[in-house]
Amino acid sequence: MSVFSHIPTIKFEGKGSDNPFAFKRYNPSEVVLGKTMEEHLRFAVAYWHTYVATGSDPFGVGTADREWDKYDGLDRAKLRVEANFEFMEKLNIPYFCFHDVDIAPEGSTLAETNKNLDVIVAQIKDNMKATGKKLLWNTANMFSNPRYVHGAGTAVNAGVYAYAAAQVKKGLEVGKELGAENYVFWGGREGYETLLNTDMGFELDNLARLYRMAIDYANEIGFDAQFLIEPKPKEPTKHQYDFDAATTIAFLQKYGLQDKFKLNLEANHATLAGHTFEHEIRVAAINGMLGSLDANQGDYLLGWDTDEFPTDLYATTLAMYEVLKAGGLGRGGVNFDAKVRRGSFELEDLVYAHIAGMDSFAWGLKAAAKLIEERVIDGIIENRYRSFKEGIGADIVSGKATLASLEQYALQNSAVRTESGRLERIKHVLNEIIFSV
Ligand code: XUL
Ligand code: CO
């Protein structure tokens, strides 16, 4: 059954086009800094927001008009698979991502759930073969079911921990079966509400144990995906253990797992942590841990994870600048972990939302490439730190300097000349570049 039959195939028409069903900036075959846009961006559809979300909120039921919601159980799951591949074809999106519970209904036992998964995974595999579409990453949802009320890998109950481990095991098997490029751990309820009933050290040790078991099992079955951890500071728990990139890297280093994982960074999680998206990408990059991106945006007037489609060109430009400077996304991609607003309940809103997100990232990519080609930021940085290139500065960098030699220098050169950071001029140049590409 076709779900998107009334939607035309979305093609690149360029800047002047007023066709709402066309890309204005995303031209998959256009080469930017030696690679096509398609190779740079590696877009992915998020199964949960696109096919599972209904638009419900704490004040009202779902509003979304979706063909598959006329069915339930495995029938609904099967129609979602067909819809997913049709949607990816229409929008020329090469990848998709899912949680286990997004693709198949949970049964009343673990065995039944796994059986449902097997049915849908076989259908997905057939569709992947027929269309050439690929799985960017899969993950286990270890936060929705009431059993995970006190965590999964950081559960207070060993039986719950075992169930979570079983879900991860199945997730790795599914990832291998479908040739996933990455496997994601987002710490859904891995955090706490109060230290009054929480053994933080013990919970973190257990989480590291689960990650080690996952690595061992992936090796055992020959699943060679890149492992990713997705930081988030709060929501659903008051304090999530994987607070931000820096906290997650410190955790991985403490447990000797830093070479086994990279990070999946999400824009709205960055802003919840009080950071910009580009900050999180830079922290990962300078530690060799940039893995993949969850693309969305928050609302600066709201304090929660609104997961809006990314349309802020400053944010996409600065994010893509970090990605390009880090050498690209490798096996990662740009996954739209974003949902249409409750008021955007028609099926074509899903199409418009993805076009907006893809065009915004393509625009950001082109602006970032121009920033690099014109050495706008490189030039500023080089000039700003130039005193470390020679003399006493070069001695500091090479390790030759001591406190005594620096004191000697300072005594003879106490009138240091500082220079302007030129922030306003830089922002003006950035505006000009963004609106010139
Ligand atoms: C939640 C979130 C998740 C992860 C995957 O905020 O971002 O959807 O991306 O579990
Ligand atoms: Co996410």
Side-chain angles (χ1 to χ4, degrees), residues 169-413:
K169 177 173 176 287
K170 184 69 179 172
L172 297 172
E173 290 161 4
V174 166
K176 177 178 155 73
E177 178 71 8
L178 298 178
E181 303 261 352
N182 306 270
Y183 186 85
V184 166
F185 288 94
W186 166 58
R189 292 187 192 272
E190 319 294 17
Y192 67 89
E193 299 301 319
T194 169
L195 286 177
L196 296 174
N197 63 10
T198 303
D199 188 340
M200 186 196 278
F202 179 71
E203 291 197 357
L204 288 168
D205 289 348
N206 272 349
L207 188 58
R209 287 185 184 105
L210 182 64
Y211 289 156
R212 270 191 218 108
M213 287 185 245
I215 291 161
D216 288 347
Y217 189 66
N219 286 337
E220 195 182 315
I221 63 173
F223 177 38
D224 72 344
Q226 174 171 268
F227 275 51
L228 303 173
I229 295 184
E230 181 177 326
K232 186 176 185 181
K234 54 189 164 195
E235 217 193 283
T237 71
K238 189 163 107 180
H239 182 104
Q240 298 279 122
Y241 287 135
D242 298 323
F243 191 93
D244 59 3
T247 312
T248 306
I249 291 168
F251 167 88
L252 291 169
Q253 287 170 343
K254 173 178 176 185
Y255 291 100
L257 293 167
Q258 68 275 14
D259 300 330
K260 307 284 184 197
F261 285 87
K262 286 192 161 54
L263 303 183
N264 183 37
L265 300 161
E266 177 163 329
N268 205 164
H269 296 181
T271 46
L272 287 181
H275 303 310
T276 59
F277 197 17
E278 60 269 21
H279 167 94
E280 288 294 86
I281 301 172
R282 178 76 65 97
V283 170
I286 62 176
N287 287 284
M289 286 198 197
L290 174 58
S292 197
L293 301 182
D294 267 10
N296 59 20
Q297 68 187 28
D299 183 321
Y300 287 102
L301 300 182
L302 303 175
W304 63 91
D305 196 14
T306 58
D307 283 348
E308 294 168 30
F309 272 83
T311 51
D312 178 338
L313 300 179
Y314 288 86
T316 59
T317 299
L318 296 179
M320 286 314 298
Y321 182 78
E322 294 302 322
V323 167
L324 291 175
K325 292 297 280 183
L329 287 170
R331 299 184 74 169
V334 176
N335 168 46
F336 290 109
D337 194 350
K339 58 176 176 247
V340 289
R341 298 302 88 191
R342 189 167 186 266
S344 305
F345 47 80
E346 293 178 13
L347 200 61
E348 57 243 59
D349 287 308
L350 290 176
V351 180
Y352 296 141
H354 282 81
I355 294 174
M358 292 164 80
D359 266 348
S360 299
F361 262 85
W363 194 323
L365 168 65
K366 290 185 80 166
K370 193 162 178 192
L371 283 170
I372 289 174
E373 275 164 345
E374 297 189 0
R375 304 199 77 256
V376 176
I377 295 175
D378 282 333
I380 291 164
I381 302 272
E382 246 173 57
N383 184 50
R384 235 177 148 211
Y385 295 88
R386 69 184 186 283
S387 65
F388 286 92
K389 290 273 183 248
E390 56 189 18
I392 193 73
D395 287 352
I396 293 170
V397 174
S398 70
K400 211 170 126 194
T402 62
L403 286 188
S405 75
L406 292 173
E407 182 198 40
Q408 194 58 34
Y409 181 88
L411 285 169
Q412 285 160 14
N413 301 274

Side-chain angles (χ1 to χ4, degrees), residues 101-117:
V101 306
D102 302 334
I103 60 166
E106 284 190 83
S108 50
T109 62
L110 177 62
E112 207 179 293
T113 300
N114 287 348
K115 227 171 94 192
N116 290 345
L117 274 168

Side-chain angles (χ1 to χ4, degrees), residues 99-155:
H99 303 82
D100 45 6
V101 306
D102 302 334
I103 60 166
E106 284 190 83
S108 50
T109 62
L110 177 62
E112 207 179 293
T113 300
N114 287 348
K115 227 171 94 192
N116 290 345
L117 274 168
D118 290 340
V119 172
I120 300 300
V121 167
Q123 187 193 353
I124 289 179
K125 196 173 178 182
D126 287 346
N127 275 275
M128 287 173 74
K129 216 180 261 170
T131 59
K133 301 296 179 190
K134 289 178 274 183
L135 182 57
L136 185 66
W137 53 260
N138 65 312
T139 185
N141 175 327
M142 306 190 296
F143 45 90
S144 295
N145 193 292
R147 86 173 64 82
Y148 296 122
V149 59
H150 301 308
T154 61

Side-chain angles (χ1 to χ4, degrees), residues 78-110:
K78 286 176 185 170
L79 188 51
R80 281 176 174 149
V81 174
E82 300 307 318
N84 175 46
F85 285 92
E86 201 187 350
F87 188 73
M88 284 196 292
E89 295 255 82
K90 289 265 152 113
L91 278 130
N92 194 9
I93 297 179
Y95 290 98
F96 63 113
C97 302
F98 62 77
H99 303 82
D100 45 6
V101 306
D102 302 334
I103 60 166
E106 284 190 83
S108 50
T109 62
L110 177 62

